[in-house]
Amino acid sequence: MSPPRRRLSTWTAPGRRETFFVLCLFTIIVFIFHSNVSADYSDEDDSSSSWSWRAAYSNSDYWFSRGSASSNAEASKKLKSDGSNIIPSIQGSDNSGLTINDVTISWKGPKEKMPQTTMVQHTEGFTILDNIYAHNGTLYIITDSPKSFPQIRTIISSGYPVFNGEAEVKKREPTAKDMQIITVKQAEKMFGKLAHRLEGVTFMSNDPPQFINHYYHFAAELFFGLWRAYSSLDPNIKSTGQTVLPPPRRFVFTHTREDKWRDYAKMNQWIMHAAFPSASLEFSTDWKDRADTQRLWFFDRLVLADRAAAMRGKPFVATERYASAAFELPGSAMWFEPVRTNVVEFAGLHRSEGSGTMHKPVITYVTRQEWGRRMLKPEDHEGLVRALKRLEKERGWEVNIVAMDKLTREEQFQLAGRTTIMMGVHGNGLTSLLWMHPTPRAAVMEFFYPGGFAEDYEWTARALGITHYGFWGGQHFSSPDLPPRAYPEGFQGNEIPIDGEAVANLVIHQLSLNEEADD
């Protein structure tokens, strides 16, 4: 008996439900595929894909992708007109288009070109360069237009300490070991067609450690000048401190050891970590380590500061202030607010409290009476305290009589951030004026031995938009009617006179003069 024959089923056309399901599935697959392709090959400036990153710098049109750099002339046409075109298109601190694979750039293809160095900003001692290279401890400007760059001696020095005398000055002149300007052809012959990338913004100090481990010279000169030069790239910094500038990724101290940059009061490291908490620090040993690799290093953007180079410019000759050259560059009146706000908030002071006490004034007298040198006459110190306490009682103003070295760092920054008028004998304690908010009421009153004058704090206050008054006993003076720089006998002594009543009267005048402007 033969087995039963199996019946074959007949095919039927799919119904509406099956057809709809297939079409939906097909649409999803096409959408996913299109999205992946777009992510991989997007030519948009704001691409956040991990495959590519647009280095949208001023005067630079290179595309970094999987470690290669090729010309892209269209990039410069898409740059914004509000000032943000002069920083990387990736705003903030995370270049999200980069992966661990993007540690090198190369220009090996027939249409790929070596990224040339471009000058973004320059004044004596402060220079911003894009696409600059380093090899064996030497910085290389690589360009086919060498005449478009200023003299190397206005950019960098040998890093030799600053001492007086013609022979000493000559030792500060840069050599080929410090910086060279070479053509692309020369560079490719010397280094090949591959470089190792230091992404983002790098702040570099080429100074010797001579001044760095001093709070004023670090904070109000080097740090001050570096940020002022960099801030010139955003002319629209707000009074709140808002800026489009990404923070520096690293600070490099080419001639300073790790144990030579801290000041005795530990203020330098506080402001560094407060202002730029994500920035790494590299010192002379690290710079040598990079040199010893004998590899070519590529900086996306370098903000370079050099004291000896700045000393060659007219601003330094006029003021003897290292950072003064940076003020030759354009900038916002609120240029320091991003840094100041970060520092006072790191100390625990909310930015609304650190806005310059727009209502009840805060008067802070920074006393040096236990310091041992450059002190007021004891009776004049007591008279000043009485006059200030009377203002507190009669007008309800807050008065603080403080020795800064007796306060914690948090207390120093918090008090300075709240202070409307700061006063004291010429000295390091007045460096705290950096953290005052530059309102119309804000002022610094500095006491000198009669006939003596130094511009340190006068220039710094004025650079921040804060009024400065100098005192000789009962006589006061202010810019532009300043006396010449002078250090007479008694300048460093302990018999500096001050008329407390004259100081109190000027405080009243300063606060009443600008009371309406603050409302």
Side-chain angles (χ1 to χ4, degrees), residues 277-435:
S278 295
S280 62
L281 303 178
E282 297 187 19
F283 298 92
S284 56
T285 50
D286 303 291
W287 186 241
K288 184 178 183 301
D289 286 344
R290 286 194 187 277
D292 289 345
T293 64
Q294 294 296 309
R295 295 295 184 268
L296 182 65
W297 299 96
F298 173 91
F299 293 87
D300 284 350
R301 169 159 289 170
L302 182 68
V303 184
L304 175 62
D306 190 293
R307 176 182 287 268
M311 291 173 69
R312 299 185 177 108
K314 291 181 179 179
F316 182 90
V317 173
T319 65
E320 289 194 349
R321 296 299 96 213
Y322 175 14
S324 62
F327 287 79
E328 297 294 295
L329 301 173
S332 165
M334 293 292 139
W335 67 274
F336 199 61
E337 280 305 288
V339 170
R340 192 196 75 86
T341 299
N342 282 2
V343 170
V344 298
E345 287 197 335
F346 188 76
L349 184 71
H350 191 272
R351 67 178 59 198
S352 62
E353 295 179 86
S355 61
T357 58
M358 303 294 278
H359 300 293
K360 180 179 178 179
V362 175
I363 302 162
T364 300
Y365 166 32
V366 180
T367 175
R368 293 176 57 92
Q369 290 307 104
E370 296 181 12
W371 195 253
R373 71 186 183 102
R374 226 181 298 136
M375 301 189 302
L376 294 178
K377 291 180 177 180
E379 60 273 23
D380 286 6
H381 162 74
E382 293 169 6
L384 175 61
V385 171
R386 284 195 302 270
L388 295 176
K389 288 295 184 181
R390 189 178 68 252
L391 294 180
E392 183 177 44
K393 182 178 180 180
E394 294 178 355
R395 297 179 177 266
W397 297 342
E398 180 181 337
V399 172
N400 302 284
I401 316 296
V402 298
M404 284 298 189
D405 59 313
K406 303 297 183 184
L407 303 179
T408 66
R409 291 181 294 179
E410 290 93 335
E411 290 169 338
Q412 291 184 52
F413 289 114
Q414 288 181 15
L415 180 58
R418 296 175 52 248
T419 293
T420 317
I421 295 181
M422 183 176 291
M423 63 182 67
V425 173
H426 174 78
N428 199 35
L430 292 181
T431 306
S432 291
L433 72 87
L434 291 172
W435 318 116

Side-chain angles (χ1 to χ4, degrees), residues 82-104:
D82 61 359
S84 59
N85 58 314
I86 46 183
I87 60 174
S89 60
I90 300 298
Q91 302 294 331
S93 60
D94 63 329
N95 285 338
S96 54
L98 294 176
T99 71
I100 196 170
N101 307 110
D102 301 306
V103 297
T104 62

Side-chain angles (χ1 to χ4, degrees), residues 221-240:
E221 291 197 304
L222 173 60
F223 188 85
F224 205 63
L226 274 167
W227 179 257
R228 177 59 182 81
Y230 184 47
S231 72
S232 69
L233 303 186
D234 182 6
N236 301 311
I237 295 175
K238 310 301 182 186
S239 60
T240 59

Side-chain angles (χ1 to χ4, degrees), residues 17-255:
R17 180 184 301 175
E18 290 82 1
T19 302
F20 178 77
F21 176 80
V22 170
L23 287 174
C24 287
L25 184 61
F26 178 78
T27 301
I28 291 172
I29 293 172
V30 170
F31 178 80
I32 293 174
F33 177 80
H34 177 74
S35 297
N36 286 340
V37 170
S38 297
D40 286 353
Y41 299 104
S42 173
D43 193 38
E44 293 298 317
D45 286 346
D46 60 354
S47 171
S48 60
S49 105
S50 61
W51 290 87
S52 60
W53 180 70
R54 170 83 69 193
Y57 292 124
S58 172
N59 301 319
S60 177
D61 47 74
Y62 298 96
W63 179 276
F64 293 87
S65 176
R66 284 295 185 196
S68 67
S70 59
S71 176
N72 186 351
E74 291 299 312
S76 59
K77 297 180 182 178
K78 298 181 181 181
L79 301 180
K80 301 176 182 178
S81 60
D82 61 359
S84 59
N85 58 314
I86 46 183
I87 60 174
S89 60
I90 300 298
Q91 302 294 331
S93 60
D94 63 329
N95 285 338
S96 54
L98 294 176
T99 71
I100 196 170
N101 307 110
D102 301 306
V103 297
T104 62
I105 63 167
S106 64
W107 45 97
K108 298 178 180 179
K111 294 184 179 180
E112 295 179 339
K113 299 178 181 179
M114 184 180 196
Q116 295 188 41
T117 307
T118 57
M119 180 75 70
V120 180
Q121 295 281 29
H122 172 70
T123 184
E124 290 94 341
F126 294 95
T127 307
I128 304 178
L129 296 156
D130 285 349
N131 305 343
I132 185 169
Y133 300 77
H135 182 268
N136 196 27
T138 302
L139 289 172
Y140 286 90
I141 292 173
I142 298 177
T143 177
D144 287 331
S145 303
K147 291 183 178 179
S148 65
F149 289 83
Q151 285 186 301
I152 287 178
R153 68 191 302 271
T154 68
I155 301 175
I156 200 169
S157 72
S158 67
Y160 186 80
V162 176
F163 297 118
N164 294 327
E166 185 178 346
E168 296 296 322
V169 171
K170 287 182 178 179
K171 292 177 183 178
R172 299 198 291 268
E173 289 291 334
T175 67
K177 176 59 180 172
D178 304 300
M179 178 177 279
Q180 295 183 39
I181 300 178
I182 61 175
T183 65
V184 170
K185 185 175 181 180
Q186 289 173 315
E188 291 183 345
K189 184 177 180 180
M190 293 169 63
F191 308 125
K193 296 191 174 186
L194 177 77
H196 300 266
R197 182 180 182 198
L198 294 171
E199 54 86 12
V201 179
T202 300
F203 280 14
M204 178 179 287
S205 164
N206 195 56
D207 299 343
Q210 187 177 9
F211 297 99
I212 288 178
N213 62 355
H214 185 282
Y215 180 30
Y216 175 81
H217 293 299
F218 179 84
E221 291 197 304
L222 173 60
F223 188 85
F224 205 63
L226 274 167
W227 179 257
R228 177 59 182 81
Y230 184 47
S231 72
S232 69
L233 303 186
D234 182 6
N236 301 311
I237 295 175
K238 310 301 182 186
S239 60
T240 59
Q242 294 299 309
T243 178
V244 298
L245 295 170
R249 287 297 188 122
R250 64 195 64 80
F251 280 74
V252 180
F253 299 87
T254 56
H255 296 285

